Amino acid sequence: MKKKLVGVLMCAAMTATMLAGCGNSSTPATTPAEPAPAAPAETQAAAPAETQAAQAEAPEASGDVVKVGFAQVGHESDWRAANTKNYQDTFSAANGYELSFVDCDNDHAVQIETVRGFIEQELDYICIAPIQSAGWDTVLQEAQDAGIPVLIVDRAVDADASLYTTALGCDMIAEGETAGNWLAEYLDGEDANILVIEGSVGASATLGRTEGFNNIVEQNSNWTVLDSQSGDFTQAGGQEVMESFIKSYSDFNVVVCQNDNEAYGAMDAMDAAGITYGVDGDVIIISFDATHDGLQYTLDGKITCNVECNPLQAGFAEGVVQKLEAGEAVDAWTLVEDEAFVAPGIDSDYAVTMSQEVLDGRAY
Ligand code: GZL
Ligand code: ZN
């Protein structure tokens, strides 16, 4: 089961240093702050081999304020907005931080330069949610040479684990396999003609979900993936790709959307084309993220299966910072656990059946 981060309502005046970035998100006036959870429990070995990260040099105490830079992917989805808010709530002035937050607008070059800017400012810690997995070795080496601990958060980088202090996030391959395993359970031997709306090109979330789902496709000889194109994790992208799919294919019965915003766009496109979907429709929609609106559509039976990826990850990042501040070693990898949800009336070994109570109990 997903670890529950018990939210403690602590309204705190929020100030944060915002650096010019394409889409700076506003800093909420007062928001409930998530307490840092207890240090992440020993986690199952995942992506990089489980090794105790080299104990990074705890930075010179910069007074009592800890300066943290966060190079965020962008503002492409509801999931991203929840993730951003969680970091701003956690690394707040009230909690003893000065957060330099930059929205890198899904632009890898901007993100690399943002990290270089953090290095020049000699921040105490740098968090990076990498837009893409490739192209990180050089700037990670620069941060290491500058003695600044780097936390790779949410998504993964395709770089040697010795180049950063720790990584944390969900297991995207497992998410893709959960979607596939649920589909096999639900179809119960029926044929599947599948269209996939992928996430942003080169993002580990895209690569992992695609790999995981295809692992299950390979186990089902009567399944065909008709096409797979990137919708860039946006609603507009999902609609555009679905519109092009509808022009090219007429015999599909499954659409896999690699996040909720793409699913909303795909539903708009199918509505316009008179194609029915959901538990009472012709097309099964599988989505990822399980954001509030995504789960509302799942509760309504429009999205049949929604695989969660928990955006409330800042507490884990703060746990790492606190341990480093105390001079303690940190885990090289922290898995953020998640689960899956299915429409009412569906029993599954792989997912929780949605109800209003489940929706009301969600933290985001
Ligand atoms: C997943 C995250 C993905 C979400 C999308 O951890 O990186 O990026 O699934 C977001 O909604 O755009
Ligand atoms: Zn933008």
Side-chain angles (χ1 to χ4, degrees):
M1 277 298 282
K2 177 165 66 94
K3 289 190 188 71
K4 294 277 179 219
L5 290 181
V6 176
V8 171
L9 277 179
M10 289 187 319
C11 286
M14 298 286 293
T15 57
T17 305
M18 308 291 280
L19 287 180
C22 173
N24 281 332
S25 42
S26 61
T27 305
T30 57
T31 52
E34 300 274 351
E42 281 312 301
T43 57
Q44 56 197 9
E50 171 97 31
T51 55
Q52 288 293 332
Q55 182 171 325
E57 276 300 303
E60 283 306 305
S62 51
D64 55 355
V65 171
V66 177
K67 297 181 178 179
V68 177
F70 182 24
Q72 176 62 294
V73 166
H75 50 277
E76 73 286 359
S77 67
D78 298 353
W79 188 99
R80 187 63 53 198
N83 182 252
T84 288
K85 182 178 180 304
N86 185 230
Y87 272 85
Q88 290 172 335
D89 293 349
T90 300
F91 289 102
S92 66
N95 290 342
Y97 297 97
E98 182 180 302
L99 178 65
S100 300
F101 174 85
V102 177
D103 168 335
C104 299
D105 197 23
N106 242 1
D107 184 327
H108 174 66
V110 167
Q111 194 165 45
I112 294 289
E113 286 317 304
T114 295
V115 173
R116 288 210 164 94
F118 292 159
I119 296 169
E120 282 158 25
Q121 294 164 58
E122 298 180 342
L123 299 186
D124 298 322
Y125 299 92
I126 296 174
C127 294
I128 305 169
I131 291 164
Q132 63 177 54
S133 301
W136 284 98
D137 291 73
T138 304
V139 77
L140 289 176
Q141 187 61 63
E142 292 168 15
Q144 193 165 82
D145 294 347
I148 301 177
V150 170
L151 292 74
I152 302 296
V153 301
D154 174 23
R155 298 182 183 168
V157 294
D158 192 7
D160 190 282
S162 65
L163 283 174
Y164 50 88
T165 305
T166 191
L168 62 96
C170 299
D171 183 338
M172 312 294 185
I173 295 176
E175 290 174 4
E177 292 180 341
T178 296
N181 285 325
W182 171 80
L183 182 62
E185 178 192 66
Y186 188 65
L187 288 174
D188 192 22
E190 262 184 66
D191 293 351
N193 288 319
I194 304 164
L195 292 168
V196 180
I197 304 178
E198 294 183 11
S200 302
V201 176
S204 64
T206 305
L207 300 169
R209 288 171 186 164
T210 302
E211 178 183 342
F213 185 73
N214 287 341
N215 288 345
I216 310 304
V217 171
E218 286 162 17
Q219 297 171 9
N220 291 273
S221 56
N222 62 333
W223 291 10
T224 306
V225 176
L226 300 170
D227 207 336
S228 191
Q229 290 178 30
S230 172
D232 211 12
F233 282 137
T234 65
Q235 180 162 346
Q239 180 168 349
E240 195 181 316
V241 170
M242 193 68 232
E243 285 167 352
S244 75
F245 281 162
I246 290 167
K247 290 193 182 89
S248 307
Y249 306 95
S250 57
D251 59 347
F252 59 90
N253 63 330
V254 180
V255 176
V256 179
C257 304
Q258 289 190 347
N259 85 331
D260 283 333
N261 294 83
E262 291 177 342
Y264 309 152
M267 288 191 274
D268 289 344
M270 285 190 269
D271 287 343
I275 296 171
T276 61
Y277 48 84
V279 293
D280 300 324
D282 294 335
V283 175
I284 296 165
I285 296 179
I286 296 174
S287 186
F288 291 82
D289 281 354
T291 56
H292 183 273
D293 291 354
L295 288 182
Q296 182 66 64
Y297 279 112
T298 308
L299 179 60
D300 297 343
K302 298 291 185 187
I303 292 174
T304 312
C305 176
N306 204 326
V307 180
E308 179 193 33
C309 177
N310 185 347
L312 305 184
Q313 304 182 1
F316 292 98
E318 192 194 20
V320 168
V321 168
Q322 292 292 330
K323 285 179 104 173
L324 291 173
E325 283 289 292
E328 296 169 21
V330 296
D331 289 330
W333 165 248
T334 301
L335 174 69
V336 178
E337 295 188 323
D338 44 36
E339 55 194 332
F341 301 86
V342 287
I346 299 173
D347 286 330
S348 171
D349 293 339
Y350 300 98
V352 171
T353 303
M354 273 309 288
S355 65
Q356 189 61 48
E357 184 189 6
V358 167
L359 185 61
D360 294 345
R362 298 284 294 164
Y364 62 93

